[in-house]
Amino acid sequence: MRLMKGGSAAGTALLGLLLLAACGTGRQEPPAQTPFVRTALVLYGSFGRSHPGDCFPLSEAERFHLLETGPDNHSTTRWCEVRANRGLHAFQELKRRSPGMRILLYYMGPGQLIVSRFDRLSQEEWSWIKAHHGRGSGDRWAALGASTGEYLRALPYPVERAMHLGNPNWQAHWLRTRYERAWVRQEGGHDGRHSDGIFLDGMQYGVSWQNGWRLEGCFDEASWQWSCSTQDHPDPYYDPSTGRYRNELWQQHYGEFLRRAVPYFRERGLELGLNAWRIAHPAQIALYEELGLLAMEECGFLCWRVPEVREWEEKLRVMAQAQNYRILSVNAAPGSADVPEPNPSEGLARMDRSYQGRTGWQWLWFALGSYWLAHAPERGNAYFLFTLWNFRDQYWFEEYDPARLHLGRPLGPAVRAEAGLWWRPFERGFVAVNANRDPRTLRVAGGGRARLLAHENFRTPQAAPPVNLDAGVELAGYQGAVLLGE
């Protein structure tokens, strides 16, 4: 599907047909069997703390279409129902309640290795790698500092060690051990039974943590603080003669690994997802299309900051054109990372706060509108996630309920009225988004009358303000709106 910029005679004729269809079906009931938004839930660490009872209910999790979480979270008491019944297997219970839910289990990809003092398996593996495939080995799997020759930790996440992504023997070891831990032996609390696949973190299309590596010995585990600031760079992917990272080599090894990993897991009945951070490079997109995987864009339409129009429009284009792979669009309100950690009594009240001039609800509608402009429901090419809690908590919003909010099928691609101002026709109305900082007026010739829905009124659309799309409707800066046809 291509995003339509309009202007041609053929485009105008097509637009007229779409508008007639949109306005003529305004009273149709939404198709109950198809979601208007495919929702994703990602939970790490001590999740669920802002929910009542300081835990996450399986009864809420079951409503999402996709869950991505740790391989040991089948038994964690962060689930309310597991806390009440310690014999309950959370993944099995979610599958019983919602058979169509997809569950993917988190592992760090082979570009880094997580070594945690709380995880015996990771400690043993790192010690074995250093002894047999470390410094001085002819088959070295660990990356070393290009200047110091020392093992490296990531500055933002000291549990991560730098590895040689392109070593084929390390790749083979990584594939075999991750598969066997969860899906064969259920080792170290990992349990892949009742799950659908694996999710790889640290898989951005460029060298990880550039200029963000320090010597392994510079971190004190007891105090959990850096004791020195000596920095270095992973030797396979850094050229000291130029002072530049070798992203092209990383990308080559990245493709080699994924062309090996996706079939490996697919042959075992498992799908592969990864955290790409951003999806933008043509060769990266071509690789994903070739392999048919799930790619999380952790920096989605909202990336913890106010979006820029050019970048936002590029994300629309990338999602709309995704054919054979799926995007998990993660959206976090601008400034939400600076808000203090949630407490159990806060709950959804966090959505009422102001984040750079707009509430959490307003940012949710902006992100949802952006998703609806580009999502292709016939291909199921995208999932949606919105958070003010990072990945420690999320909520099922009423906006996700197709019985409450559903415009039916899209009648064509999104239309660009002007830079940052887009709309799209659906069977029962329109979606419109203004990604500019300042208000814009949207006019849709032949669009007729509609009800302007927002968080405050979508449950009672008959009470929503009427607008005339021919005359124009004003959209505030960074506003996403649903226009229910009359």
Side-chain angles (χ1 to χ4, degrees):
M1 181 177 69
R2 294 177 181 173
L3 292 174
M4 184 171 68
K5 294 194 175 182
S8 68
T12 302
L14 173 62
L15 180 57
L17 293 174
L18 296 178
L19 292 172
L20 285 173
C23 295
T25 57
R27 287 188 294 273
Q28 285 188 3
E29 290 300 314
Q33 73 277 15
T34 58
F36 197 40
V37 53
R38 287 159 58 89
T39 54
L41 175 65
V42 177
L43 295 174
Y44 301 150
S46 298
F47 59 84
R49 291 203 178 278
S50 77
H51 274 74
D54 188 27
C55 57
F56 200 101
L58 291 174
S59 59
E60 183 173 1
E62 68 179 89
R63 306 189 71 177
F64 290 84
H65 299 98
L66 173 72
L67 168 65
E68 190 257 299
T69 193
D72 55 351
N73 281 341
H74 61 93
S75 62
T76 178
T77 54
R78 300 310 309 162
W79 301 112
C80 304
E81 291 84 348
V82 174
R83 185 176 296 178
N85 177 6
R86 294 302 301 273
L88 191 67
H89 191 295
F91 302 159
Q92 181 179 23
E93 178 65 10
L94 284 170
K95 285 291 191 177
R96 184 188 70 79
R97 294 173 179 229
S98 182
M101 175 186 241
R102 307 295 290 176
I103 301 176
L104 302 185
L105 304 185
Y106 173 100
Y107 283 93
M108 178 59 68
Q112 294 94 256
L113 179 70
I114 289 181
V115 184
S116 170
R117 56 180 172 171
F118 304 109
D119 181 1
R120 175 186 55 82
L121 283 179
S122 69
Q123 294 175 19
E124 292 175 353
E125 182 177 43
W126 180 232
S127 296
W128 182 85
I129 288 173
K130 288 199 290 186
H132 299 279
H133 299 281
R135 187 187 298 110
S137 170
D139 179 26
R140 180 159 57 85
W141 299 357
L144 300 175
S147 299
T148 63
E150 298 291 333
Y151 299 110
L152 302 178
R153 290 180 184 254
L155 178 60
Y157 296 100
V159 295
E160 295 181 18
R161 306 299 197 274
M163 301 297 290
H164 192 328
L165 172 63
N167 186 301
N169 294 326
W170 163 233
Q171 292 178 4
H173 169 89
W174 188 96
L175 290 168
R176 177 181 57 81
T177 54
R178 273 58 182 171
Y179 173 70
E180 291 182 355
R181 283 176 192 174
W183 288 278
V184 178
R185 297 194 300 268
Q186 288 80 55
E187 185 179 13
H190 297 202
D191 192 343
R193 293 174 297 178
H194 314 291
S195 69
D196 300 285
I198 190 167
F199 183 89
L200 281 55
D201 199 4
M203 294 296 290
Q204 61 275 17
Y205 200 61
V207 181
S208 298
W209 304 127
Q210 296 185 25
N211 299 309
W213 295 98
R214 288 184 178 178
L215 307 190
E216 183 183 38
C218 279
F219 190 78
D220 180 61
E221 294 274 351
S223 64
W224 203 249
Q225 291 182 343
W226 291 98
S227 57
C228 62
S229 59
T230 306
Q231 292 189 329
D232 208 339
H233 312 278
D235 60 347
Y237 304 109
Y238 185 78
D239 184 351
S241 66
T242 63
R244 296 180 180 274
Y245 276 89
R246 304 172 68 188
N247 284 308
E248 296 82 2
L249 181 61
W250 172 279
Q251 291 161 3
Q252 174 190 328
H253 292 164
Y254 183 96
E256 292 169 355
F257 169 73
L258 287 178
R259 289 186 176 97
R260 185 177 190 177
V262 171
Y264 179 93
F265 287 103
R266 191 169 286 157
E267 290 165 3
R268 290 157 176 80
L270 300 168
E271 63 179 291
L272 184 145
L274 55 82
N275 184 356
W277 178 244
R278 284 186 173 90
I279 305 172
H281 197 287
Q284 174 192 21
I285 294 170
L287 178 65
Y288 296 168
E289 289 282 7
E290 171 193 338
L291 297 174
L293 45 72
L294 170 72
M296 173 197 279
E297 188 167 41
E298 189 174 349
C299 187
F301 298 111
L302 288 175
C303 188
W304 287 275
R305 56 176 172 78
V306 173
E308 297 178 0
V309 169
R310 181 192 57 78
E311 183 180 14
W312 176 82
E313 291 187 334
E314 178 64 13
K315 291 177 185 295
L316 286 182
R317 184 192 66 80
V318 169
M319 180 180 288
Q321 293 182 354
Q323 298 286 330
N324 192 46
Y325 75 104
R326 291 152 297 138
I327 294 173
L328 196 175
S329 178
V330 175
N331 297 275
S336 59
D338 301 327
V339 177
E341 285 292 314
N343 58 70
S345 63
E346 187 175 30
L348 273 175
R350 197 176 186 84
M351 292 290 289
D352 299 324
R353 291 175 181 253
S354 176
Y355 302 89
Q356 299 196 15
R358 300 187 68 76
T359 68
W361 298 111
Q362 290 170 321
W363 285 119
L364 168 66
W365 277 67
F366 173 86
L368 272 173
S370 305
Y371 168 89
W372 286 323
L373 288 176
H375 177 220
E378 73 280 4
R379 297 197 302 274
N381 68 340
Y383 291 94
F384 177 84
L385 184 155
F386 180 87
T387 182
L388 300 178
W389 304 267
N390 293 316
F391 298 127
R392 292 291 189 264
D393 216 346
Q394 284 153 62
Y395 282 83
W396 170 271
F397 303 115
E398 287 186 88
E399 282 86 343
Y400 296 165
D401 187 346
R404 288 194 176 275
L405 187 60
H406 203 311
L407 291 182
R409 295 174 301 169
L411 297 178
V415 179
R416 187 180 193 258
E418 61 177 89
L421 182 63
W422 292 69
W423 62 276
R424 189 181 190 185
F426 289 79
E427 289 177 321
R428 303 181 65 231
F430 308 88
V431 167
V433 178
N434 177 19
N436 296 283
R437 183 180 299 274
D438 301 318
R440 293 289 191 277
T441 298
L442 174 67
R443 293 180 179 87
V444 180
R449 294 175 62 83
R451 297 280 177 172
L452 180 60
L453 303 188
H455 171 70
E456 293 75 18
N457 61 34
F458 79 96
R459 302 170 191 82
T460 55
Q462 67 278 7
V467 296
N468 187 322
L469 288 170
D470 293 279
V473 56
E474 182 174 288
L475 298 179
Y478 309 121
Q479 181 177 355
V482 170
L483 298 152
L484 182 65
E486 289 191 330

